[in-house]
Amino acid sequence: MFGETYQFVQPPLKATGGEYDVTLTDVKERNLKGYPVLTFTFEYEDKKNRVPNSFDLFDVVDKTDERQLRAFDLKASKIALCFGLKGSFNPVSYELWKGKKGRIVITRSRDGFLNVTDFVDKAEINNPVEQ
């Protein structure tokens, strides 16, 4: 019979745009549509189950493309400063990165998707610059 295994599951809440304090729960390399990517999964500080709950760092595809190299270095550096990550890109470091806390920025795209779009440097949180 159709739907005989159905059990109600509470869908995750959708985050609204803004800054959120989060904790990394998993970091793993994977292949996404043919591209090497490092996926960071996180939980919100208030422990509410929300989406998005992950963000991706795509590796450089063309190692001779200066634009790709700069974009990767900038995003990887922002993530490292946000979460206080040390070490290189390898499974040992990924395990050490689990549990690290940081502050992310979520925005809604033109298409209506919620995405992690920026990472707040821990130094900015601990020593805010007066404007």
Side-chain angles (χ1 to χ4, degrees):
M1 172 188 264
F2 179 84
E4 67 185 59
T5 63
Y6 170 74
Q7 292 182 19
F8 179 79
V9 176
Q10 183 65 47
L13 301 170
K14 288 184 180 177
T16 57
E19 293 185 0
Y20 290 89
D21 291 323
V22 299
T23 302
L24 296 178
T25 57
D26 195 24
V27 181
K28 67 174 62 164
E29 292 180 24
R30 63 190 186 113
N31 187 299
L32 185 63
K33 297 181 182 177
Y35 295 98
V37 64
L38 189 60
T39 297
F40 296 79
T41 306
F42 59 85
E43 68 181 8
Y44 292 85
E45 184 178 89
D46 63 9
K47 305 291 188 207
K48 289 186 179 177
N49 184 20
R50 289 188 189 88
V51 290
N53 64 352
S54 67
F55 58 88
D56 295 320
L57 175 64
F58 285 84
D59 200 0
V60 176
V61 176
D62 180 355
K63 309 253 189 285
T64 63
D65 184 332
E66 287 296 321
R67 190 172 145 261
Q68 283 185 34
L69 292 166
R70 280 192 310 275
F72 176 84
D73 289 346
L74 177 61
K75 186 169 182 180
S77 297
K78 287 177 118 182
I79 294 168
L81 290 170
C82 174
F83 292 98
L85 304 181
K86 305 284 186 221
S88 58
F89 294 104
N90 64 64
V92 173
S93 293
Y94 304 157
E95 281 301 311
L96 295 173
W97 295 350
K98 291 179 185 178
K100 297 289 186 178
K101 297 179 184 300
R103 185 172 294 166
I104 60 169
V105 177
I106 294 177
T107 57
R108 188 175 297 277
S109 71
R110 281 187 226 151
D111 298 329
F113 295 104
L114 293 164
N115 298 300
V116 176
T117 55
D118 206 359
F119 307 89
V120 180
D121 186 335
K122 280 187 179 303
E124 291 178 23
I125 296 170
N126 298 330
N127 302 307
V129 178
E130 290 185 30
Q131 296 186 12

